[in-house]
Amino acid sequence: MKLPVILLCLASMMSSPFISAQSNETIEEATALIKSGNYDQAADILQRLEQKSPKDGNINMLLGECSLALNETADAIEQYKTAQKKGINNAWLSLADIAATQYRISDAEDDIELYRKGLKRTKKKTDPDESGEIVAKIDRIKNMLDRVEKIVIIDSLTVPAGDFFTHYRLSPESGTLASPASVPEGFEPAPSTVVYTSESGMEQLYAIRDSSSTKLASSTLLFGGEREKPIVLNGNLNEGGDANYPFLLPDGITLYYANNGENSLGGYDIFISRKSGMDYLQPQNIGMPYNSPYNDYLLAIDEVTGAGWWATDRNHIPGMLTIYVFIPSDLRTNYSPDDPNLASFARIDNYKATWAPDNDYADLLAKIRAIKPSSENNGPTFEFYIPGRGILTSLDSFKSQPAAEAMRQYLTQSESVEKTRNDLNQLREKYANGNTSTADKIRELESKLRHDTNKLKSIRNTVIRLESN
């Protein structure tokens, strides 16, 4: 998700004379950790800073950013509310952004109104109205909530982000998905792309990078087994952003791909286009529930099994993606805009809520699972800050073997912590909706989360100590 909060936080932090004068090095370290995604470590520093300067709302803005990135949305909201009470008017923008992302449109619009009222009260009459981007986002979400497609999601998988496509189980007739390493030397695909190859092998699609963005390109198999130099597909597909993650149906005409341009809700959205002659027609955003304010990519449909797949990071599990398996329909049917559960279906709070009564999808799932997935595996990737060494991104980058082993424990424990967080957030939502029977389980998970988080911090310190020695 693209959050203007980050820039607002950093700008506010740099403008704070107390922080700049008293603890510039610590703030620089926390800011660097935030930029590199090490939010737990940044939060530790910021919590100590808050004790030193409890009236500085800029610190709460940064703490809110950390909590939001750690999927602790309730804590983030409290931090932003605290920042607002301490005089940070931009906190209303952060609150509006969260409300919009949760599809609480009325709350988001109220927060924008309070932000604008705050601008009128400020002594700095020249302060610009910075709400435009979030207001546009609210409008896009409102429009898409009017046409949430009614689909049946039959399965959900949580997999490592680096090799997520290897978990798609597609029949050979659907083509294959592979890493950029499968492309002939010298063609230089974008490092983040997934390579689609048709069943015949004649057409290969992937993203290539130019000076400013990634664009989809096609490479044809030539006589003799060599491949033609990739040709960039027409500019209609770029939408002012990065085009990536292509999948072409066996008809050779219908193209699904992801783009993070101006018609996206935020991050990557999935689009559809159809080929006409040599070019592709103007793409269309396929809407909700496939797309969200986060990153959604690589929608693939297997016409043999009758199952579709797409991946998303909307569930905020560090280093992991969620893959949803669904049943495509030839004729789109949308939920009523007045459905009281519309936002829940759009968010996919519970994918089993999409099941028809008394329907059993076991046979279809068994058919899918009989297909062997790709065996590619790039191993775990991450970003971990070691003082004096910087950011390490793989187990191979550790000098100390004991530290690498401890890092494996850290990654495993991180997954456990995130699962507990996700389970806790779901129970809290049920409690907020009136299901008070979840209270005991909530307390149990809160206790478990505190214990597991402390254990995670201990392992993190062990990793740093072993590698630093």
Side-chain angles (χ1 to χ4, degrees):
M1 179 175 68
K2 298 174 183 174
L3 290 177
V5 175
I6 296 176
L7 296 178
L8 294 171
C9 288
L10 296 180
S12 298
M13 178 272 292
M14 294 305 293
S15 67
S16 170
F18 179 89
I19 294 175
S20 177
Q22 300 298 321
S23 51
N24 184 55
E25 184 177 2
T26 303
I27 282 293
E28 286 182 347
E29 183 181 1
T31 303
L33 290 169
I34 289 174
K35 288 182 177 180
S36 64
N38 289 278
Y39 299 101
D40 273 323
Q41 296 178 65
D44 287 345
I45 294 171
L46 291 165
Q47 286 165 359
R48 290 191 293 271
L49 259 176
E50 186 182 23
Q51 294 176 355
K52 295 178 182 178
S53 51
K55 295 183 179 181
D56 195 330
N58 297 307
I59 298 173
N60 298 101
M61 290 292 288
L62 289 167
L63 279 168
E65 189 64 37
C66 293
S67 295
L68 197 60
L70 292 168
N71 197 26
E72 296 170 348
T73 307
D75 290 342
I77 290 172
E78 289 305 311
Q79 291 292 348
Y80 291 137
K81 286 182 177 179
T82 300
Q84 186 277 323
K85 291 175 183 177
K86 294 179 182 179
I88 307 298
N89 191 52
N90 279 346
W92 288 120
L93 293 181
S94 302
L95 291 167
D97 193 71
I98 291 175
T101 299
Q102 295 177 334
Y103 305 158
R104 294 185 288 108
I105 301 302
S106 179
D107 290 344
E109 292 175 334
D110 288 346
D111 290 337
I112 292 296
E113 182 63 25
L114 289 168
Y115 165 76
R116 289 174 172 170
K117 286 181 179 179
L119 283 181
K120 293 178 182 178
R121 289 194 299 268
T122 185
K123 295 179 181 179
K124 299 178 181 178
K125 299 299 183 183
T126 58
D127 281 358
D129 185 339
E130 298 175 326
S131 63
E133 185 177 343
I134 297 178
V135 170
K137 177 179 178 178
I138 293 170
D139 289 340
R140 289 195 298 271
I141 292 173
K142 284 174 65 175
N143 290 334
M144 285 200 185
L145 281 171
D146 286 338
R147 47 188 181 89
V148 178
E149 185 173 356
K150 186 180 292 186
I151 63 172
V152 176
I153 301 174
I154 60 174
D155 203 4
S156 170
L157 314 171
T158 301
V159 303
D163 67 349
F164 76 95
F165 60 91
T166 68
H167 298 269
Y168 285 39
R169 295 175 183 253
L170 302 176
S171 62
E173 294 86 345
S174 301
T176 60
L177 304 172
S179 73
S182 65
V183 173
E185 187 176 351
F187 284 4
E188 298 183 3
S192 62
T193 195
V194 174
V195 180
Y196 166 81
T197 305
S198 62
E199 180 190 12
S200 66
M202 289 300 297
E203 185 164 16
Q204 200 169 71
L205 299 173
Y206 49 87
I208 62 174
R209 175 162 289 283
D210 65 11
S211 59
S212 59
S213 63
T214 59
K215 295 179 170 60
L216 294 185
S218 173
S219 174
T220 302
L221 187 65
L222 301 175
F223 181 77
E226 294 185 355
R227 287 207 168 270
E228 177 187 37
K229 185 176 180 180
I231 299 172
V232 175
L233 303 183
N234 61 299
N236 281 341
L237 302 178
N238 292 322
E239 294 274 302
D242 294 306
N244 208 334
Y245 308 104
F247 182 85
L248 189 66
L249 288 185
D251 62 11
I253 295 173
T254 308
L255 174 70
Y256 291 98
Y257 73 103
N259 187 279
N260 59 5
E262 58 187 12
N263 291 316
S264 153
L265 283 176
Y268 281 103
D269 273 12
I270 299 167
F271 289 76
I272 185 174
S273 181
R274 291 180 172 84
K275 198 171 186 179
S276 176
M278 298 300 294
D279 290 331
Y280 283 92
L281 301 175
Q282 187 66 32
Q284 299 294 320
N285 188 310
I286 67 172
M288 296 176 177
Y290 311 98
N291 291 323
S292 69
Y294 303 93
N295 290 299
D296 304 275
Y297 11 52
L298 194 54
L299 187 144
I301 294 178
D302 187 336
E303 295 182 338
V304 175
T305 61
W309 306 68
W310 92 93
T312 178
D313 66 4
R314 69 182 69 188
N315 293 320
H316 324 294
I317 306 173
M320 310 290 279
L321 296 181
T322 300
I323 296 174
Y324 289 113
V325 187
F326 69 103
I327 301 177
S329 175
D330 292 333
L331 182 63
R332 180 176 180 126
T333 302
N334 295 335
Y335 288 101
S336 167
D338 298 324
D339 191 315
N341 297 314
L342 184 66
S344 179
F345 284 125
R347 290 190 300 262
I348 316 180
D349 290 341
N350 176 13
Y351 76 87
K352 291 185 179 180
T354 68
W355 294 7
D358 302 321
N359 272 28
D360 184 358
Y361 305 104
D363 289 344
L364 176 55
L365 286 169
K367 184 179 179 181
I368 293 169
R369 289 166 182 162
I371 300 173
K372 186 177 180 180
S374 170
S375 60
E376 290 189 34
N377 192 337
N378 298 329
T381 58
F382 49 82
E383 290 186 341
F384 190 90
Y385 175 73
I386 300 288
R389 289 205 58 202
I391 305 295
L392 303 187
T393 59
S394 69
L395 295 175
D396 291 341
S397 59
F398 280 84
K399 294 180 178 180
S400 164
Q401 186 59 36
E405 291 302 319
M407 187 67 206
R408 290 183 190 275
Q409 297 177 28
Y410 180 83
L411 294 173
T412 300
Q413 183 68 12
S414 293
E415 292 179 19
S416 175
V417 167
E418 289 309 314
K419 183 180 184 306
T420 301
R421 281 180 177 143
N422 289 335
D423 292 345
L424 184 57
N425 285 338
Q426 291 177 14
L427 287 174
R428 284 170 172 167
E429 185 169 348
K430 289 180 180 179
Y431 186 91
N433 290 331
N435 185 356
T436 57
S437 66
T438 61
D440 290 342
K441 186 64 176 178
I442 287 174
R443 284 191 288 270
E444 177 186 332
L445 286 185
E446 285 176 340
S447 176
K448 183 178 188 302
L449 183 60
R450 285 192 296 270
H451 175 271
D452 288 355
T453 300
N454 288 334
K455 183 177 178 181
L456 183 66
K457 291 180 179 180
S458 176
I459 298 173
R460 184 187 73 206
N461 292 337
T462 298
V463 173
I464 293 174
R465 175 177 55 79
L466 291 172
E467 184 66 10
S468 298
N469 291 338

